[in-house]
Amino acid sequence: MLSKVSRAERLFHEATRHLHEGNLLQAESGYRLALAHNPELAEAHANLAYVLEQSHRLEEAECRYHAALNLNPGHVRILLNYGAMLASEKRFDEAEALYRQALVIDVHSCAVWSNLGVLLACMKREAESEQCYRNALSIDPEYRKAQFNLSYLLLRQGRFEEGWLRFEARDWYERLATLIPCPRWQGEALSGKSILITIEAGHGDMIQFCRYASFLQEAGASKVSILCHPGLKRLFGTLSAVDEVIALGEPGVSDGWDYWVPLLSLPYWFKTGLITIPAGIPYLHANPERVARWAGQLAGPSRSLRVGLVWKGNPLFENDADRSLPSLSTLSPLWEVPGVTFYSLQKGAGEEEIEDDVETRPVIALGHLLEDFADTAALVINLDLVITVDTSVAHLAGALGKSCWVLLPDYKPDWRWLAMRTDSPWYPKEMRLFRQAEPGDWSSTIRAVQQSLLDLTGSARPALV
């Protein structure tokens, strides 16, 4: 007959198996059963805390982390996971204290050094952050998380040579790589060779970096194919250097090339520096028939400035709560600018806001009519300006050569916008960046946009009320 301790350990291991399989409900139930048999099993408290955290039950999770640390205050993994949860809640000082406590216990933990580096980067202590990553890499030069995290810091600072090299540590394309039998391209001569550019990350990443297809063509590739999200297929058909566009999920992705290459590896192989960013704009184009069709659908005074708006990104993105606006009403100071007709390009989250209180939100809803990015491109061509948060539409407007103003958060702005700049070398004539002055403060940012819009229309500033 099993003792209570042995039974608790068996239940703990079963629950952990459920956790690894992604079955959170079964994992939670298993950990609770294990603790019913052995309330002093610190690892069960800690893993239950992690499950509760994944279920967004943060107060319960914190109680469990406390219970785990009371039982085993020297457990580095518990300190690490608890610190990560506190960091996600922006309780930075508490998270830092836990990470430093973990380092006292194990100064050779690459994971703790890397997590502390991420935390310090979020706090804009970038020199300290970089040193943390380098400490981790001095312990294990192959530690991929520290390499990847360091790459973000370096790329944001414009230190591209090492940044692109460190960025090669990412592994999010590895599952796709198992489906492609040809070798990954490692800079070999391409004369007479065919190559497949594989899908990476989100739509915006694909739009920004698909420009590198021309480099492969210029390097002598006989055939350049690109694998992309289905919504990008028709748009990417306008890439002059691409011979074949394949949407993810279509047949024919498994063979037929000499090499494959992850899209975001191309800046590394072509040694892109801050002053050598390929900025031949436009490199994507809208279908003329679609452009004409949208021109006939746009309402509003013929002489007004036509401005497209996007105020929310994908809610599944890790930093979406900071990069997206709280609501469409955050943009309400713009309604005061005369001579402007606003069009919503918003799809998905936030789209429903157009229907609420239309009289005080003079925005014409068009997002629901957009079928894919080829449609969005044709609509954007008909506009004078796009104002958007950091989403794929910003990259689309830039790639099309359309003026675009991008609203950036103070907290964790994406590395591709670099640091402190109000322009983008990726879209040098098209893009203007409006950054938050303080975390969460969109009001001053929108007032700056309002003034710029007034300058553009030649209007006087409306009276403040």
Side-chain angles (χ1 to χ4, degrees), residues 273-285:
L274 192 56
I275 62 173
T276 60
I277 289 174
I281 308 290
Y283 56 87
L284 290 172
H285 306 276

Side-chain angles (χ1 to χ4, degrees), residues 34 39 74 88 113 130 148 184 187 238 242 265 275 293 343 365 440 461:
S88 71
W113 279 118
E130 180 176 346
F148 180 76
R184 179 178 171 181
T238 69
V242 168
S265 288
I275 62 173
R293 191 180 313 152
Y343 301 91
R461 174 183 282 276

Side-chain angles (χ1 to χ4, degrees), residues 103-126:
L103 287 173
V104 170
I105 298 165
D106 183 4
V107 74
H108 298 294
S109 171
C110 294
V112 178
W113 279 118
S114 184
N115 273 34
L116 179 57
V118 171
L119 177 70
L120 295 173
C122 291
M123 299 168 73
K124 299 184 179 180
R125 293 158 60 182
E126 294 195 348

Side-chain angles (χ1 to χ4, degrees), residues 313 317 323 388-392 394-395 406-409 413-414 416-417:
F317 181 69
R323 69 160 180 176
T388 176
V389 293
D390 181 8
T391 68
S392 54
H395 295 285
V406 185
L407 313 178
L408 296 179
D414 198 87
R416 73 201 67 221
W417 305 118

Side-chain angles (χ1 to χ4, degrees), residues 149-222:
N149 291 335
L150 176 58
S151 76
Y152 269 39
L153 183 67
L154 296 172
L155 292 171
R156 184 166 58 250
Q157 294 177 353
R159 297 158 65 186
F160 281 3
E161 183 176 0
E162 185 184 2
W164 296 127
L165 173 64
R166 298 295 187 182
F167 194 51
E168 288 297 283
R170 69 197 187 282
D171 59 3
W172 55 50
Y173 52 78
E174 286 189 342
R175 183 177 177 277
L176 180 62
T178 64
L179 304 176
I180 305 173
C182 61
R184 179 178 171 181
W185 184 59
Q186 300 287 343
E188 297 91 342
L190 286 174
S191 181
K193 302 293 185 180
S194 59
I195 188 166
L196 171 69
I197 304 170
T198 59
I199 191 171
E200 273 210 83
H203 295 86
D205 301 272
M206 295 295 294
I207 292 171
Q208 180 180 4
F209 290 98
C210 69
R211 68 183 79 192
Y212 279 90
S214 63
F215 282 56
L216 297 170
Q217 185 185 64
E218 292 166 7
S222 60

Side-chain angles (χ1 to χ4, degrees), residues 174 186 260 302 349 402 443:
E174 286 189 342
Q186 300 287 343
W260 70 276
S302 59
K402 182 62 62 173
S443 59

Side-chain angles (χ1 to χ4, degrees), residues 279-307:
I281 308 290
Y283 56 87
L284 290 172
H285 306 276
N287 179 281
E289 293 182 2
R290 287 177 176 272
V291 172
R293 191 180 313 152
W294 276 107
Q297 294 188 46
L298 295 187
S302 59
R303 293 186 179 182
S304 69
L305 192 75
R306 293 176 167 180
V307 177

